[in-house]
């Protein structure tokens, strides 16, 4: 019989991997919730690309899907979400 008041703990594969790789990494990242002060370039590009695809797929029913995506890209550039001109050009080229 299980205790209904027992706390269930869910541990992800990446958490287990960090424990094996470096116990301090696990301590800081998972227990103390430390985060990197900067976002990596590949993460920014991947996040932007997924946003562009999301806009395109959600706009496919309308005639202006490309306009919605490119409009978001220009807005993201102006808001500073795209780190530099090279990244902007890459995303534009990918699209």
């Amino acid at each position: 019989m299980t205790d209904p008041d027992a706390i269930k703990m869910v541990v992800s594969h990446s958490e287990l991997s960090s424990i094996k790789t470096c116990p301090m990494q696990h301590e800081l990242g998972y227990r103390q919730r430390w985060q990197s002060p900067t976002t990596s370039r590949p993460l920014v590009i991947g996040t932007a690309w997924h946003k562009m695809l999301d806009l395109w797929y959600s706009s496919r029913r309308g005639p202006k899907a490309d306009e919605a995506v490119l409009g978001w890209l220009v807005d993201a550039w102006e808001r500073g979400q795209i780190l530099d001109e090279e990244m902007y050009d890459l995303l534009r080229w990918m699209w």
Side-chain angles (χ1 to χ4, degrees):
M1 181 154 72
T2 58
D3 181 4
D5 295 328
I7 297 173
K8 293 182 181 181
M9 188 166 142
V10 177
V11 179
S12 68
H13 181 269
S14 60
E15 184 174 358
L16 289 174
S17 179
S18 77
I19 292 169
K20 291 177 186 176
T21 304
C22 177
M24 183 56 81
Q25 173 188 356
H26 176 263
E27 174 66 27
L28 296 176
Y30 286 91
R31 301 186 101 198
Q32 294 185 25
R33 304 277 186 208
W34 282 24
Q35 294 181 350
S36 174
T38 60
T39 304
S40 71
R41 185 176 185 81
L43 181 60
V44 173
I45 292 171
T47 301
W49 181 245
H50 280 273
K51 178 64 176 174
M52 292 166 70
L53 289 174
D54 180 48
L55 283 169
W56 188 75
Y57 280 111
S58 63
S59 300
R60 277 192 80 174
R61 293 190 177 116
K64 300 184 179 186
D66 284 329
E67 281 183 35
V69 172
L70 294 176
W72 176 86
L73 184 57
V74 170
D75 288 344
W77 169 256
E78 291 171 352
R79 288 190 308 269
Q81 291 176 306
I82 307 299
L83 301 178
D84 54 39
E85 191 171 347
E86 181 182 355
M87 185 181 292
Y88 175 85
D89 290 341
L90 174 65
L91 288 164
R92 181 88 193 226
W93 173 83
M94 287 167 62
W95 186 249

